[in-house]
Amino acid sequence: MRRPFSSVRSRAALAATAVVAVALVAAAFALLFALRSNLSGQAQGQADQYSNEVALQIAKPVPIGDLDLPDSEEHPTQVTDAKGRLLIASEGLEKITGTGVPAVRPASPPPTTAPTPTPTPVGDDDDDDSGGDDSGDDSGGDDDSGDDSDDDTTDPTDGEVSKAGGHRDGSVTADGRTADFRFSTRQVTGLAGGPYIVHTGASLEPQQSAVGAAKIAMLVGVPALLVVVGGVTWLVTRRALRPVEGIRREMAAITASEDLTRRVPEPDTHDEVAKLARTTNETLTALEASVDRQRRFVADASHELRSPIASLRTQLEVGEAHPELLDVPGAVADTVRLQQLAADLLLLARLDAGEHAGRTRVDLAALVREEVSQRSTDRIPVTPDVRGSAEVAGSRGQLARVLGNLLDNAQRHAAGEVRATVRREGGRVVLAVSDDGAGVPEEERERIFERFVRLDDARSRDDGGAGLGLAIARDVAHRHGGTLDVGRAEAGGALFELRLPAAVGDPDPDRPVAAGASALGATPAQVLGDRGE
């Protein structure tokens, strides 16, 4: 049963929608909060403005009963004394909350005449230089009898208006309609009385209308936007993954048909999907080559095994019928050949399985001396060029097998000279085995490292092996981090050079080293020494 949201595009669409939803909800709350705060601040500013205008009228002074109060539907206003008794309120008020004064009508009519301020006497002027009268006559300039005790008083001054002392939200019912308001409260002291408290409101209806409209727009727009985001993400992801589905279908068809010659479609883009398709085709190419190589290997191995087995069977059947004609040395030779071929096939299988070489330090100079000293039956004596020591990391048995196979190969093709030298080139040790034979044609110098490949002069099974030696040698070199190449020797024959990293901590890296030095970390490989075997 298919689980919901099991596909990549559905999960991508769901994730994108969820992320956008969280962002939109957060943005919506922030927008509503900012809008509400802004409009509330505007209402508060209007309330402060109108309360200040009323307070200034009281401070002039204007009689309480003659105050010009704003309309109750726009800016309802109350004026109370210090004890909270209502003195005057905007006309049309039916009910009010938020000011702390529930009354909408004063208990007694407010006064309509301004109180007379108490006169302030100026006092006598005893200054001898003052004696002037209203006419400004200077004829009595030396007269000290001037009297300034007239009933002169100072001009009245305005009362004091405080800053807005607080803000509260409430509601007002006027003309049968109820609305929310923001109230501003301030205190004012008149010239002849007070203090008085002024409560003036500003409507919150614009704020509520704007916030409500924004909520409705968001409730409608956000879900619609989320649907669009989810749908677009679904379509874009589906389009982007369409080549991936094509790759999957083609791979399933290749698996079902076992036809490794087929390839997956490559999109004409330069994105990750195109890279995936190219990598998949490269993998299929490598897999096809590996399978073909294995098939050829099995076919060639069967062919190589069939000949010595048939020969051995014939000799045994002849010996059974005619014991005096039994060729025991030939039977032994065929048996040895079968044993060597089986060992080579086993080694190739281990190499293909990824077997790694050991990391033992091996002195290649000593290995060459030992190998050459044991080759007493060679047709041509090996001339070693060994000085000092040269250590690499690897398997001593495998390196000895590589050296022996290279020397066997040189013995089969040399005319009269076989040389083995070892030298240092930077951080690598080079083992060179050369002969003075016919050499390897330049166009064949890569093909001879393929499995079961023998050149025309190595076709005879009496002279050569099965064509596995050099293939194994190169595999060993590669697994040891080195290389194996063939060129032309100074004597005109073949020159095989095995280049391997020197072991870490070699005491004398600049010194020439002995012939036969093996590769650093080489894997087991049996080089049969065939010139194209």
Side-chain angles (χ1 to χ4, degrees):
M1 181 178 179
R2 185 175 182 179
R3 295 180 300 174
F5 303 107
S6 59
S7 65
V8 174
R9 57 177 177 268
S10 60
R11 292 197 300 268
L14 180 62
T17 304
V19 171
V20 174
V22 172
L24 287 179
V25 169
F29 277 107
L31 178 61
L32 291 176
F33 177 78
L35 182 61
R36 186 189 300 272
S37 299
N38 186 19
L39 295 178
S40 179
Q42 292 181 10
Q44 180 173 305
Q46 292 179 6
D48 289 342
Q49 176 185 350
Y50 280 89
S51 68
N52 185 61
E53 291 178 359
V54 174
L56 288 176
Q57 293 183 57
I58 298 174
K60 286 299 183 180
V62 174
I64 297 299
D66 294 338
L67 291 176
D68 183 14
L69 301 182
D71 185 74
S72 60
E73 294 185 358
E74 295 182 358
H75 300 285
T77 302
Q78 290 176 311
V79 179
T80 67
D81 60 13
K83 295 182 179 181
R85 291 178 300 210
L86 181 66
L87 301 179
I88 190 172
S90 298
E91 295 183 0
L93 283 179
E94 299 175 4
K95 182 179 180 181
I96 187 169
T97 61
T99 63
V101 181
V104 294
R105 296 286 184 273
S108 60
T112 57
T113 58
T116 303
T118 302
T120 303
V122 177
D124 294 337
D125 188 358
D126 296 332
D127 190 352
D128 293 340
D129 298 331
S130 65
D133 56 14
D134 292 341
S135 63
D137 186 6
D138 294 332
S139 61
D142 294 336
D143 188 5
D144 295 335
S145 62
D147 189 358
D148 293 332
S149 60
D150 296 338
D151 292 337
D152 244 354
T153 59
T154 60
D155 293 335
T157 59
D158 293 342
E160 296 181 356
V161 179
S162 68
K163 295 182 178 180
H167 300 88
R168 299 174 62 181
D169 291 338
S171 63
V172 171
T173 301
D175 298 332
R177 182 173 175 270
T178 302
D180 294 329
F181 284 80
R182 180 77 165 169
F183 288 97
S184 173
T185 301
R186 71 174 67 234
Q187 179 175 299
V188 57
T189 302
L191 184 64
Y196 302 102
I197 309 299
V198 179
H199 305 281
T200 303
S203 177
L204 294 176
E205 185 175 359
Q207 175 206 43
Q208 295 171 347
S209 299
V211 172
K215 287 182 178 178
I216 293 175
M218 291 177 182
L219 290 176
V220 174
V222 169
L225 182 58
L226 292 179
V227 171
V228 172
V229 169
V232 170
T233 305
W234 174 281
L235 294 176
V236 171
T237 308
R238 180 181 180 183
R239 181 179 178 84
L241 294 179
R242 187 177 300 165
V244 177
E245 177 61 20
I247 294 173
R248 186 201 66 79
R249 287 197 300 266
E250 185 64 24
M251 288 297 295
I254 292 173
T255 302
S257 64
E258 299 183 357
D259 183 7
L260 296 178
T261 61
R262 300 174 62 173
R263 296 294 181 268
V264 300
E266 295 187 14
D268 296 332
T269 58
H270 301 282
D271 56 8
E272 290 77 4
V273 176
K275 294 178 181 178
L276 173 63
R278 286 192 290 271
T279 303
T280 302
N281 284 335
E282 292 172 359
T283 303
L284 289 173
T285 300
L287 182 60
E288 180 186 10
S290 176
V291 171
D292 289 343
R293 185 168 57 251
Q294 292 297 327
R295 289 172 178 171
R296 290 196 305 269
F297 176 78
V298 172
D300 292 338
S302 301
H303 176 74
E304 294 295 333
L305 288 171
R306 183 180 59 183
S307 298
I309 290 176
S311 175
L312 181 59
R313 177 181 177 180
T314 300
Q315 295 182 42
L316 293 177
E317 290 177 347
V318 170
E320 182 181 12
H322 307 282
E324 69 280 0
L325 299 179
L326 178 61
D327 183 8
V328 176
V332 172
D334 287 338
T335 303
V336 171
R337 178 176 174 81
L338 282 173
Q339 182 182 8
Q340 292 176 345
L341 183 56
D344 289 342
L345 293 176
L346 176 61
L347 181 55
L348 280 173
R350 291 163 59 189
L351 289 175
D352 290 340
E355 179 178 321
H356 297 287
R359 306 298 298 175
T360 306
R361 297 175 71 93
V362 179
D363 185 355
L364 290 182
L367 182 65
V368 169
R369 296 187 192 98
E370 180 181 347
E371 182 69 19
V372 171
S373 65
Q374 294 176 357
R375 301 179 68 89
S376 58
T377 60
D378 283 345
R379 180 175 62 89
I380 300 174
V382 179
T383 303
D385 184 2
V386 178
R387 294 186 300 274
S389 64
E391 292 186 344
V392 295
S395 169
R396 181 180 180 85
Q398 295 169 8
L399 295 175
R401 178 70 180 276
V402 169
L403 175 60
N405 287 334
L406 288 177
L407 293 175
D408 288 343
N409 183 72
Q411 287 290 332
R412 273 190 289 271
H413 301 282
E417 181 185 37
V418 176
R419 298 183 63 86
T421 62
V422 177
R423 66 180 184 275
R424 173 85 61 158
E425 289 185 357
R428 288 183 173 264
V429 175
V430 181
L431 166 63
V433 176
S434 61
D435 60 68
D436 59 350
V440 181
E442 187 173 354
E443 64 274 9
E444 302 287 352
R445 289 179 182 174
E446 284 300 318
R447 196 172 72 89
I448 62 173
F449 292 105
E450 298 177 6
R451 298 178 181 182
F452 296 106
V453 171
R454 293 190 299 270
L455 300 185
D456 292 340
D457 60 350
R459 290 292 181 182
S460 173
R461 292 185 175 84
D462 296 333
D463 295 334
L468 297 175
L470 295 181
I472 294 176
R474 175 164 280 187
D475 285 349
V476 170
H478 289 168
R479 292 183 183 277
H480 282 73
T483 60
L484 177 62
D485 300 302
V486 61
R488 183 175 180 82
E490 294 181 0
L495 172 63
F496 288 89
E497 290 185 329
L498 179 65
R499 300 175 184 271
L500 302 169
V504 177
D506 194 336
D508 190 4
D510 297 326
R511 173 180 59 188
V513 287
S518 72
L520 173 64
T523 27
Q526 298 175 349
V527 183
L528 295 180
D530 303 339
R531 181 72 45 78
E533 284 186 314

